[in-house]
Amino acid sequence: MQLAPLDWIVIALYGLTALSIGLYFARRAGRDADEFFLSGRKLPWWLLGTSMVATTFSTDTPNLVADLVRTGGVAQNWMWWAFLITGMCTVFFYARLWRRSGALTDIEFYELRYAGRPAAFLRGFRALYLGVFFNVMIIATVTLAATKIGGVLLGLDPLATVLIAGTVTMAYSATSGLWGVVVTDLVLFVVAMTGSVAAAFFALQQPEVGGLAGLVANPELRPALRLLPDFSDWSVAAAIFVIPVAVQWWATWYPGAEPGGGGYVAQRMLAAKDERESMKATLWFNVAHYGLRPWPWIIVALCSMVVYPELSDIRARFPDLDPSLVGDDLAYPAMLVFLPAGLLGLVVASLAAAYMSTISTHLNWGSSYVANDFYRRFVNRDASDRRLVAVGRASTVGLMVLGAFVALQLDTALQGFRILLQIGAGTGLVFLLRWFWYRVNVWSELAAMTISFLVAVYFAWVHGWLGFEALSTTRQLLVGVGVTTAGWLAVTLVTPPADGETLQRFYDRIRPLGRGWRRVVDVGEGSADAGSVTAAFLAWFLGCVVVYAALFGTGYALYGRWVAAVAALGVAGGAGVWLFRVLPRSSR
């Protein structure tokens, strides 16, 4: 399809705005490592939280939601909605601890919590494992979505899209540092949300859809509208709801929803002004990410099921598109062709904004691992801040190149999502307990990481090669969680904890909640606040109630079920009032 001149003007204005912000902060970011990677630890909660939200709103997110809705209905979104439980746990139990650590990256945690050469090895290995391998996978899935959008809206082949989008974002990220990333994210979030709402509005205007009332009344879509799965079909309900809510949230490490916090979420917490700002930033992120954003994407996905009921309909509408790109995740960009001139440019700009916000964050976050936790720790201990910034900028280029290459090998966003879930299956619990259980040691983490990876490799290649019957992704996840958790717990119990001096130093610096440290450290008078533990658990529960009730209330309102909508939104409001009364005690 062809973009009108007005569309190109809108896209150009967006590009100039983003570029101007990046150039404005380039000199400030180059001062030292703290400025480049953490913005001098001066950022307020609303800017940090919005930056996290903008990062999770990537070009592959609406594509992933479209894939989930088209293949399993709205209820299949519980595969990622369940991660809210992880996020709220991070808010009330871990956000203040991360900020209190004073680390430059969350990988520095390993040499605060553990000691000796094993801790140093773990830090270096995780820096490359997460900063390069996992990071490249995320960059690849986001770039894959960009190639599909570029093919549908601009007629670009995948390689051309990768070269253009990757080069622009890479150059922007390498110059502006975290200052440019978070400030631009604020603009990008507004543009991206405006674009997603506009896409939903015009999707509903299609004659086949018949507006919101016609969409909801369509008998073919009625099963897909469920907010909860059909529990009469236990195999489906277990896969998309029971396992995610009961197991996945605590057992699986996934970027952006790490148990106990980590990655770019930890980076934002470490960049906050103080501990309270860190907690409020993470709370705002979870409310906005899970409670405010999903419905425009879901509406577009439901409309696509009417306009393009089969993949063959998408192929017929875009005959020149590479057939390998045609999947259910392509339905979202395929619905954007109905936008009028000007608004189409805005939506293209919003998708470019989503791409830039996610990729720039991952490039900055990944390069911080490479520069601080690998280069400065193991290659050049005396590296100056300017040298460290230079290494960070160089690694930004390398990560983008690797991510672009992997993107050209993938087929769908859901494929990348499931690969990362399986690789991280079973590692989550160790990240939750290491702050509160002194027995967790460096070997616990190495065992969890190694076993989960080997299980993922087994299911990806060895299981079928041996001639065994293929297992569903749900069973693979459960096996991965069970084997990995049992393995690292066994290793924990047969190996000694860190030495007493290291544990005491960690406790004195972090002051974690609870009584789990009294056996091995001197907690000091008044150091452990048992009352705040109870308040933190209550705040965790209320936070989840607020967001899920708001999510359901919005959905029921869109479906025209007003009694249920008012009831759900009433529950959200009541839980919210209670939460703010509990909040001061939970953050004492």
Side-chain angles (χ1 to χ4, degrees):
M1 63 179 296
Q2 297 294 321
L3 271 67
L6 183 58
D7 295 319
W8 288 112
I9 291 173
V10 172
I11 295 170
L13 287 174
Y14 152 75
L16 287 173
T17 301
L19 182 62
S20 299
I21 294 173
L23 292 175
Y24 176 81
F25 286 104
R27 176 174 293 183
R28 184 170 189 170
R31 291 178 186 172
D32 55 48
D34 245 29
E35 289 287 347
F36 188 81
F37 295 119
L38 292 179
S39 302
R41 304 182 196 268
K42 301 172 184 175
L43 294 173
W45 68 268
W46 55 270
L47 188 56
L48 286 169
T50 303
S51 177
M52 291 186 229
V53 180
T55 297
T56 54
F57 187 173
S58 58
T59 45
D60 68 321
T61 311
N63 289 22
L64 173 63
V65 171
D67 201 340
L68 293 171
V69 172
R70 286 174 63 89
T71 57
V74 176
Q76 192 167 204
N77 282 284
W78 280 100
M79 291 178 66
W80 67 279
W81 285 347
F83 282 127
L84 170 69
I85 307 172
T86 306
M88 284 297 176
C89 181
T90 299
V91 172
F92 299 109
F93 288 95
Y94 299 96
R96 290 177 295 117
L97 305 186
W98 277 115
R99 182 60 183 86
R100 198 174 293 163
S101 73
L104 182 68
T105 69
D106 59 305
I107 299 295
E108 280 190 24
F109 172 90
Y110 295 114
E111 291 196 284
L112 296 176
R113 175 66 174 79
Y114 316 120
R117 291 184 177 180
F121 169 80
L122 180 59
R123 178 181 176 181
F125 182 79
R126 289 286 285 184
L128 298 181
Y129 182 68
L130 296 182
V132 178
F133 175 73
F134 259 88
N135 216 16
V136 163
M137 285 299 299
I138 294 296
I139 293 170
T141 57
V142 176
T143 303
L144 170 67
T147 64
K148 298 196 175 193
I149 293 169
V152 169
L153 298 181
L154 305 176
L156 297 174
D157 64 71
L159 182 58
T161 303
V162 165
L163 289 175
I164 296 171
T167 301
V168 171
T169 308
M170 175 181 64
Y172 159 80
S173 304
T175 56
S176 64
L178 188 62
W179 270 111
V181 170
V182 296
V183 174
T184 307
D185 277 350
L186 183 63
V187 178
L188 302 187
F189 176 67
V190 174
V191 174
M193 280 303 300
T194 303
S196 64
V197 172
F201 177 82
F202 281 95
L204 289 168
Q205 306 311 306
Q206 299 313 302
E208 306 97 311
V209 178
L212 191 57
L215 180 73
V216 175
N218 191 320
E220 298 294 326
L221 293 184
R222 197 158 296 164
L225 296 175
R226 294 174 179 270
L227 299 182
L228 291 171
D230 181 3
F231 287 97
S232 65
D233 188 345
W234 180 250
S235 62
V236 174
I240 67 177
F241 181 81
V242 177
I243 300 304
V245 170
V247 178
Q248 182 178 293
W249 72 266
W250 60 264
T252 300
W253 189 98
Y254 185 79
E258 302 89 344
Y264 62 80
V265 174
Q267 183 190 40
R268 300 304 194 271
M269 292 187 282
L270 290 167
K273 290 180 180 179
D274 53 43
E275 295 172 24
R276 284 180 179 269
E277 295 286 298
S278 174
M279 187 178 71
K280 289 193 290 186
T282 318
L283 177 60
W284 163 236
F285 159 58
N286 283 281
V287 170
H289 178 47
Y290 296 98
L292 300 182
R293 279 202 320 206
W295 280 108
W297 303 331
I298 292 171
I299 293 298
V300 174
L302 290 170
C303 292
S304 77
M305 296 174 70
V306 179
V307 178
Y308 305 111
E310 304 292 339
L311 291 181
S312 58
D313 299 308
I314 300 179
R315 294 191 194 97
R317 179 63 178 79
F318 305 99
D320 297 327
L321 196 63
D322 185 348
S324 67
L325 296 179
V326 179
D328 284 299
D329 61 336
L330 191 66
Y332 187 88
M335 291 298 296
L336 302 182
V337 300
F338 303 113
L339 290 164
L343 273 176
L344 178 58
L346 177 64
V347 172
V348 172
S350 75
L351 293 170
Y355 178 83
M356 287 185 65
S357 64
T358 302
I359 297 298
S360 60
T361 287
H362 279 275
L363 291 176
N364 184 271
W365 162 50
S367 65
S368 72
Y369 285 1
V370 175
N372 181 68
D373 299 296
F374 184 77
Y375 178 79
R376 182 159 68 176
R377 177 63 180 82
F378 298 102
V379 179
N380 185 358
R381 296 292 295 268
D382 299 320
S384 65
D385 277 350
R386 288 188 176 275
R387 179 65 175 172
L388 208 61
V389 170
V391 172
R393 286 172 168 162
S395 59
T396 296
V397 176
L399 290 172
M400 188 67 243
V401 171
L402 288 173
F405 173 77
V406 175
L408 298 175
Q409 318 305 315
L410 296 176
D411 295 322
T412 69
L414 186 57
Q415 180 186 10
F417 177 77
R418 284 176 169 158
I419 288 173
L420 291 180
L421 278 184
Q422 187 61 55
I423 291 175
T427 61
L429 191 59
V430 72
F431 301 127
L432 294 172
L433 294 181
R434 63 188 184 178
W435 298 85
F436 305 110
W437 187 27
Y438 76 94
R439 285 287 309 178
V440 175
N441 58 48
V442 67
W443 306 110
S444 309
E445 299 217 24
L446 284 170
M449 185 170 48
T450 304
I451 296 170
S452 66
F453 184 80
L454 291 177
V455 171
V457 169
Y458 170 79
F459 282 123
W461 290 288
V462 180
H463 187 78
W465 179 75
L466 293 176
F468 295 122
E469 182 179 353
L471 296 179
S472 66
T473 54
T474 302
R475 291 186 177 182
Q476 290 181 24
L477 182 70
L478 285 177
V479 171
V481 169
V483 172
T484 302
T485 302
W488 78 256
L489 282 173
V491 170
T492 300
L493 296 175
V494 300
T495 53
D499 63 272
E501 181 181 349
T502 299
L503 294 176
Q504 184 70 58
R505 185 170 60 246
F506 175 79
Y507 184 86
D508 291 342
R509 182 168 183 169
I510 305 299
R511 301 188 309 281
L513 296 171
R515 302 174 179 273
W517 292 85
R518 289 183 181 274
R519 291 182 56 187
V520 293
V521 301
D522 177 12
V523 300
E525 185 177 354
S527 294
D529 184 356
S532 65
V533 176
T534 304
F537 272 105
L538 179 57
W540 179 21
F541 171 75
L542 291 173
C544 292
V545 171
V546 168
V547 176
Y548 283 137
L551 180 68
F552 273 50
T554 305
Y556 287 137
L558 291 170
Y559 290 174
R561 298 174 56 183
W562 294 107
V563 174
V566 170
L569 293 175
V571 169
V577 171
W578 194 359
L579 173 61
F580 278 99
R581 293 183 64 181
V582 172
L583 206 56
R585 285 185 289 142
S586 70
S587 61
R588 189 161 47 188

